[in-house]
Amino acid sequence: MRIYKNLLKPGWCRVSVAAALSVCLMQFTSCTKYDLDENDPAGWGASIYSYLEEDGNYTNTVRLINDLGLKDALGKTTSSTLFVADDDAYARFFANNKWGVRSYEQLTLSQKKMLLNGSRISNSYQVDDLSGLPSDGGPNEGQCMRRVTAQTELDTVSVMRPDQLPNMTEADWRWNKSWRKFVGRDKVLVLRDGTIPPMLHFIESHMANNKITNDDYNFLYNYTTDRQPGDASVNGIKMEEQNIRCSNGFIHKMQEVIMPLDNMAEIIASKPQASIYNRLLERFCAPIAVSKEMVDRYNATYGTNVDSIFMKRFFSEKSQGCTSLKKDDDNRAIEQVLNYDPEWNEYYTAPVPNATEALKKNMAFMLVPSNAAMEAYWEGPGKALKDQYGTWDNVPNRVVKNLINNNMLDDFVGKGVPSKFSAILNDANDPMGVTKATIDSVWLGCNGAVYLTNKVFSPTSFVSVLYPAVVNENLQIINWAVEKCQYHVYLNSLNSYYSFFIPTNGALLDYIDPASFAKETTQLYRFHYENTEENEAKGKSGSVWAAVYAYDLETGTIGDSLREERNEGVLKSKLKDVLDNHIVIGNVEDGNTYYKTKGGQEIRIHNASLGVNGMTVEGSRQINETGRPLRVTYIYDQTAQGNGKCYILDAEPIQTTKKSTIDVMREHEEMSEMVKLLEGSSILETIHDNKYACVSENFSVFNTFNYTVYVPTNEAILNLQNNGQLPTWDDVVRAKEEERYEDATRDSLAIENFLRYHIQDGALYIGSTPLKEEGYETALIGSNGKFQRVYATLTQDNIYIKASQGDKTSHKVVKGNGLYNLMAREYILEGIDAKTANNVYTTSTAVIHLIDGALINKQ
């Protein structure tokens, strides 16, 4: 019978020569030559309508066909496939159905349409063909799992009282006022999405092609089934008799009456055991008015005279037509949106030219925690949420969307069945840990599967070090910065351990802008976070702005107000600097004192073991200028499920020093001989690359990195000079005066090389994690064209430096007078004039140590 199948297959009017010859033998020449609308092919049996009527056991289906005026369509050769239930099945249906209908006479017109048209598809399909998609080379079998039926989008219009609508209480209006306009109405006509609900079928070839097992299938139906090879089902109802051939298509007899499937949103809304989650989910839905044309069609179809119908839709990145829905019916912009619209019946994953084909191949799935799971989470892993907000109703949309989006998943075929659960990843692309044991029930919808879970699968931001910033209203400036600078992926990585220092909104009233260090007036940024419940209700994010004041670095006095800064780009650049100085990759409670931040700056930790109100942290500004350590006022421990700890700072942010390397060295007489050598060299610069201004005199050999500068004692340098091993700048001047230019060049180069050999890549701090001997490149390029190395060993209490690995003697840091671990930061500004520059182009940092002898390159 393969030839009949192909002849009736959609799009199959082109046949091979061999097939054409076979057709000729049966008095056919091609699909297009035969008038399938008016004639019955000889030997093909009765029409669909005639078969059902003559059998006598399908009276309910025949009544549906007659009542809906489809006798001619199904009585002639219009190509169709019908999934039918006999009268015994209808008797069981009328005894128990979700509509509460107890007899045929109680069915409404729309219910009749859903029963008949929801079980009818255009074109003729044998069971094997249901999973095929058309292609240039023939049927593409095993690809299809959903098909659009003969229903229309208007069949699901419901007449609802206001109390049946979502978000109709004052508590709801705090977060979503979209439905409030229906208060006082007697009724509202609501359409479930506005696209046609597809049917869902599981066919052997599709399951085999996509490696979906019989056990997967049985799990999807809560083990109420025992699928066998060759079984086929539609909307969860098994085919009792397949491939009843008629002149105008095929009938497939079903064990029970097929009901159109609800979409995921409606399934969730109907389950009392998921009411907590549904209440959160429906914050993101809104009534969207349908077109006048659709209203007119409805009135013409149902003999009504309504003036408006509203679709229930969800604000999302993907809704009808795979386009975003980010405006409500009043054209107000909505920022807090879901990954996709769970109400969208025809859901498909991505925009494609042929949407009908796209929806056939796949669907979505959602993990929906039960009320018991939500309550357990509230007292367990989510207790910080409870502590912050008290009740679920108080959790703002910007937080709720993270929870929902983490549990809204694409690609049911690829990862939505138990044999593929290991492929389910969270929002940080880490395994989510979904297993059969975590799922209590499964409900299949027309656009996806709903899994009722017995645990809450938290978004990564709820278990990572980002969590406090996400949920705590007093940390929203940093949360804004994380989102705008796209640091959430970084901080949500569960493959690293982070120590995240988070300044509160109040602490960020005192941020000194490094770009203003060279201006006549230093500038203090006082960051503010603006948000209102009205904005939250509109789905809008809060905004950050800054009041900029004059600031006296010497006295710490705040001066006149200079301006308000609301430029997002400027604010992002300042707060990115804050983030970089507050993130440490590693555990700052491991017993060391110095730790490198993401930005390459070092911070100093004291009393970590004392915890809250005992532990302190300092940046180079706190160490060099203010002398005021910052006390940690609260610690969030995210190590159990997450990736580190968060340390809350109330006073001010960690900040970096204004002082450059030479600035720090000039403060100490013990380094004066090295300073003299530097001041005569080409190493110091105030303009970088002839186009960038420096805040102070910078080391020209620094390049957006962290460095160690070893400073020999004055005595060591003088000894070298007195012994003729190191020239002085006076020697260079004298040689020039005496016109000994080769000597002058030689001596100048010797000094420059001496200085460069004491500048090492990589900052080594005494009190940081000890390191075994390692070679570090210096700023000196040798005659071999390579950067010359020094070899350093970092112990718990000193650094030992050698010029070569073979040296038996080494120099060490002089600790007696405290001239070690001295911090500097060098800023290069955007623009050639430091007094007018507004942004930092790049920075480098350095640690300076006084050492007991000079390093001599032995190449």
Side-chain angles (χ1 to χ4, degrees):
M1 290 302 125
R2 177 67 62 180
I3 189 165
Y4 298 120
K5 178 180 74 172
N6 286 345
L7 281 168
L8 290 169
K9 195 153 189 172
W12 261 76
C13 289
R14 292 173 293 179
V15 296
S16 66
V17 173
L21 289 173
S22 299
V23 173
C24 289
L25 293 174
M26 300 185 67
Q27 300 177 347
F28 288 85
T29 56
S30 73
C31 297
T32 56
K33 185 172 181 179
Y34 205 89
D35 188 350
L36 293 177
D37 285 333
E38 299 298 333
N39 298 286
D40 290 346
W44 277 33
S47 68
I48 291 174
Y49 180 81
S50 298
Y51 176 89
L52 296 173
E53 185 181 45
E54 292 169 7
D55 183 276
N57 197 31
Y58 297 97
T59 59
N60 287 281
T61 301
V62 171
R63 289 181 72 180
L64 288 171
I65 294 171
N66 290 332
D67 288 354
L68 296 178
L70 293 173
K71 178 179 178 180
D72 284 345
L74 295 174
K76 296 184 179 180
T77 52
T78 300
S79 181
S80 297
T81 301
L82 195 63
F83 303 88
V84 254
D86 62 18
D87 290 340
D88 290 339
Y90 265 97
R92 294 189 293 272
F93 170 77
F94 289 127
N96 180 24
N97 61 75
K98 68 178 183 179
W99 293 337
V101 174
R102 295 294 171 254
S103 67
Y104 184 92
E105 289 71 24
Q106 292 180 5
L107 289 171
T108 66
L109 177 58
S110 65
Q111 288 169 345
K112 291 177 182 179
K113 285 175 171 286
M114 285 189 277
L115 286 175
L116 182 63
N117 292 333
S119 60
R120 180 168 70 95
I121 56 179
S122 298
N123 294 308
S124 178
Y125 293 94
Q126 294 189 57
V127 168
D128 287 346
D129 293 334
L130 283 172
S131 68
L133 295 176
S135 67
D136 291 338
N140 197 349
E141 295 186 355
Q143 298 294 314
C144 179
M145 67 180 300
R146 293 193 298 157
R147 288 188 181 274
V148 175
T149 67
Q151 276 190 264
T152 72
E153 65 272 32
L154 294 174
D155 294 341
T156 62
V157 172
S158 297
V159 180
M160 304 183 74
R161 301 187 311 273
D163 64 320
Q164 296 174 308
L165 300 174
N167 301 314
M168 289 299 286
T169 69
E170 289 197 19
D172 298 322
W173 298 337
R174 179 180 179 186
W175 306 116
N176 185 341
K177 293 182 174 66
S178 299
W179 298 85
R180 189 169 62 173
K181 60 187 174 185
F182 298 124
V183 172
R185 286 203 186 189
D186 292 332
K187 61 183 180 181
V188 182
L189 271 68
V190 178
L191 180 60
R192 302 306 199 279
D193 169 54
T195 59
I196 299 171
M199 65 166 51
L200 171 66
H201 49 65
F202 286 97
I203 309 299
E204 185 72 32
S205 56
H206 175 267
M207 293 178 62
N209 186 62
N210 291 282
K211 297 181 174 56
I212 298 174
T213 68
N214 287 342
D215 185 71
D216 289 333
Y217 178 91
N218 293 332
F219 176 84
L220 294 174
Y221 289 101
N222 301 294
Y223 288 107
T224 60
T225 59
D226 182 19
R227 189 182 188 282
Q228 301 299 314
D231 284 355
S233 68
V234 176
N235 291 358
I237 306 300
K238 183 181 177 181
M239 291 185 192
E240 195 170 72
E241 185 177 350
Q242 303 176 8
N243 302 330
I244 301 171
R245 190 186 70 198
C246 298
S247 62
N248 59 342
F250 285 94
I251 292 172
H252 305 290
K253 183 182 178 183
M254 311 303 293
Q255 284 187 341
E256 304 294 343
V257 174
I258 291 179
M259 292 278 285
L261 297 176
D262 286 330
N263 57 54
M264 291 185 290
E266 293 306 311
I267 290 173
I268 296 167
S270 71
K271 303 301 179 184
Q273 61 267 56
S275 60
I276 296 175
Y277 191 84
N278 182 63
R279 188 173 173 84
L280 299 176
L281 178 66
E282 289 196 327
R283 287 190 192 177
F284 298 87
C285 74
I288 306 296
V290 306
S291 65
K292 182 179 183 303
E293 181 273 333
M294 192 176 286
V295 174
D296 290 343
R297 277 200 292 126
Y298 180 81
N299 285 330
T301 301
Y302 291 97
T304 57
N305 189 31
V306 302
D307 58 4
S308 61
I309 302 173
F310 295 88
M311 293 179 286
K312 179 185 176 185
R313 295 178 64 188
F314 283 74
F315 299 120
S316 55
E317 296 291 349
K318 289 188 295 187
S319 187
Q320 293 178 14
C322 215
T323 59
S324 63
L325 179 63
K326 295 184 179 180
K327 287 187 177 180
D328 65 13
D329 229 15
D330 297 317
N331 207 36
R332 292 178 298 188
I334 306 296
E335 294 181 19
Q336 308 295 345
V337 300
L338 303 179
N339 287 344
Y340 56 74
D341 182 349
E343 195 84 25
W344 178 27
N345 295 324
E346 295 182 355
Y347 165 91
Y348 50 93
T349 55
V352 290
N354 192 333
T356 302
E357 298 303 310
L359 77 86
K360 292 177 180 178
K361 294 181 179 181
N362 214 332
M363 61 182 187
F365 62 108
M366 292 179 65
L367 307 176
V368 177
S370 66
N371 292 344
M374 292 288 279
E375 290 165 358
Y377 178 80
W378 202 237
E379 298 297 333
K383 190 172 186 303
L385 271 177
K386 180 183 179 183
D387 293 342
Q388 179 67 34
Y389 298 111
T391 68
W392 280 110
D393 282 346
N394 290 334
V395 182
N397 287 350
R398 61 176 176 77
V399 177
V400 169
K401 76 167 184 183
N402 294 331
L403 175 61
I404 295 175
N405 282 340
N406 189 60
N407 291 275
M408 299 185 89
L409 301 164
D410 292 314
D411 192 11
F412 171 85
V413 168
K415 56 190 177 187
V417 295
S419 63
K420 303 179 182 182
F421 279 167
S422 61
I424 301 177
L425 306 179
N426 61 22
D427 51 5
N429 289 323
D430 294 316
M432 190 176 281
V434 179
T435 64
K436 284 203 258 185
T438 60
I439 296 171
D440 287 344
S441 297
V442 185
W443 301 295
L444 292 178
C446 67
N447 59 351
V450 175
Y451 293 117
L452 185 73
T453 64
N454 51 41
K455 65 173 288 186
V456 174
F457 291 94
S458 294
T460 311
S461 60
F462 281 22
V463 298
S464 74
V465 291
L466 191 54
Y467 179 64
V470 171
V471 303
N472 193 323
E473 297 296 326
N474 199 31
L475 304 176
Q476 286 312 296
I477 295 175
I478 283 294
N479 188 49
W480 182 92
V482 167
E483 290 189 4
K484 295 298 181 181
C485 297
Q486 299 185 349
Y487 274 31
H488 53 284
V489 175
Y490 180 78
L491 290 169
N492 279 338
S493 171
L494 301 183
N495 296 318
S496 299
Y497 186 102
Y498 296 101
S499 297
F500 187 20
F501 293 86
I502 308 180
T504 62
N505 295 349
L508 285 166
L509 292 171
D510 293 297
Y511 172 74
I512 301 167
D513 180 17
S516 70
F517 279 153
K519 291 180 181 292
E520 292 181 2
T521 302
T522 303
Q523 296 179 358
L524 178 79
Y525 275 63
R526 311 203 79 179
F527 291 101
H528 298 272
Y529 180 76
E530 284 184 342
N531 199 25
T532 64
E533 287 188 3
E534 180 67 22
N535 281 339
E536 285 278 12
K538 294 177 182 177
K540 288 188 176 181
S541 300
S543 59
V544 169
W545 64 281
V548 183
Y549 289 84
Y551 186 75
D552 189 319
L553 286 170
E554 298 300 323
T555 64
T557 303
I558 299 174
D560 295 335
S561 174
L562 301 177
R563 67 182 185 282
E564 284 188 2
E565 184 59 76
R566 294 183 179 269
N567 182 288
E568 184 175 292
V570 172
L571 296 168
K572 279 172 57 177
S573 70
K574 310 303 179 189
L575 288 169
K576 183 179 183 298
D577 183 59
V578 173
L579 287 172
D580 287 343
N581 293 329
H582 286 72
I583 299 169
V584 174
I585 303 174
N587 182 5
V588 298
E589 297 184 35
D590 64 4
N592 294 313
T593 303
Y594 289 90
Y595 299 89
K596 194 181 305 300
T597 66
K598 182 180 185 299
Q601 291 78 46
E602 214 82 8
I603 58 173
R604 185 167 71 184
I605 303 292
H606 282 309
N607 303 320
S609 62
L610 297 181
V612 172
N613 292 321
M615 177 181 180
T616 64
V617 60
E618 300 161 278
S620 56
R621 172 170 168 76
Q622 280 85 25
I623 294 171
N624 286 0
E625 280 98 338
T626 70
R628 295 193 304 268
L630 306 178
R631 200 168 297 279
V632 172
T633 57
Y634 196 86
I635 299 175
Y636 288 86
D637 189 345
Q638 300 295 103
T639 55
Q641 301 179 63
N643 59 353
K645 290 186 179 182
C646 312
Y647 303 89
I648 306 304
L649 305 176
D650 283 342
E652 62 183 66
I654 300 168
Q655 297 188 76
T656 54
T657 183
K658 176 185 177 181
K659 297 175 181 178
S660 69
T661 308
I662 194 66
D663 291 336
V664 173
M665 292 174 63
R666 283 172 176 153
E667 292 178 346
H668 303 287
E669 176 60 30
E670 296 90 339
M671 299 182 178
S672 59
E673 292 302 324
M674 189 72 158
V675 169
K676 290 178 186 178
L677 294 177
L678 284 166
E679 288 176 336
S681 74
S682 65
I683 289 176
L684 298 183
E685 65 178 7
T686 57
I687 300 294
H688 182 71
D689 283 351
N690 297 316
K691 57 183 176 180
Y692 299 110
C694 303
V695 165
S696 182
E697 289 181 281
N698 288 359
F699 274 29
S700 61
V701 296
F702 287 179
N703 184 22
T704 317
F705 195 56
N706 52 86
Y707 301 88
T708 301
V709 177
Y710 298 112
V711 181
T713 61
N714 292 340
E715 181 182 9
I717 292 175
L718 290 173
N719 284 340
L720 287 175
Q721 291 171 340
N722 292 334
N723 293 333
Q725 295 175 272
L726 176 66
T728 67
W729 288 117
D730 288 340
D731 294 334
V732 174
V733 170
R734 189 177 305 111
K736 288 180 179 179
E737 289 175 348
E738 296 174 359
E739 298 183 355
R740 291 182 290 109
Y741 297 114
E742 289 186 5
D743 291 346
T745 300
R746 180 200 61 211
D747 290 348
S748 178
L749 182 60
I751 298 172
E752 294 269 352
N753 288 347
F754 175 83
L755 294 170
R756 287 171 176 265
Y757 196 58
H758 288 78
I759 301 169
Q760 167 195 301
D761 286 357
L764 298 181
Y765 281 80
I766 298 172
S768 60
T769 302
L771 298 169
K772 294 180 179 179
E773 182 180 297
E774 185 174 341
Y776 296 88
E777 289 183 349
T778 68
L780 173 62
I781 298 178
S783 59
N784 59 2
K786 297 181 179 180
F787 288 102
Q788 300 303 289
R789 292 175 177 266
V790 294
Y791 295 83
T793 303
L794 174 62
T795 68
Q796 196 69 50
D797 58 4
N798 215 308
I799 303 173
Y800 298 89
I801 316 103
K802 299 188 297 185
S804 66
Q805 284 182 299
D807 279 359
K808 294 182 179 180
T809 59
S810 60
H811 296 291
K812 65 180 180 179
V813 173
V814 177
K815 296 179 64 180
N817 50 11
L819 298 183
Y820 65 98
N821 287 352
L822 304 180
M823 294 184 179
R825 190 180 189 192
E826 304 197 344
Y827 306 86
I828 296 176
L829 306 176
E830 290 184 356
I832 201 165
D833 186 351
K835 294 187 181 301
T836 60
N838 293 316
N839 294 300
V840 173
Y841 175 68
T842 189
T843 71
S844 296
T845 59
V847 60
I848 306 157
H849 302 290
L850 186 69
I851 60 175
D852 62 5
L855 301 173
I856 305 299
N857 179 33
K858 297 183 179 180
Q859 184 189 2

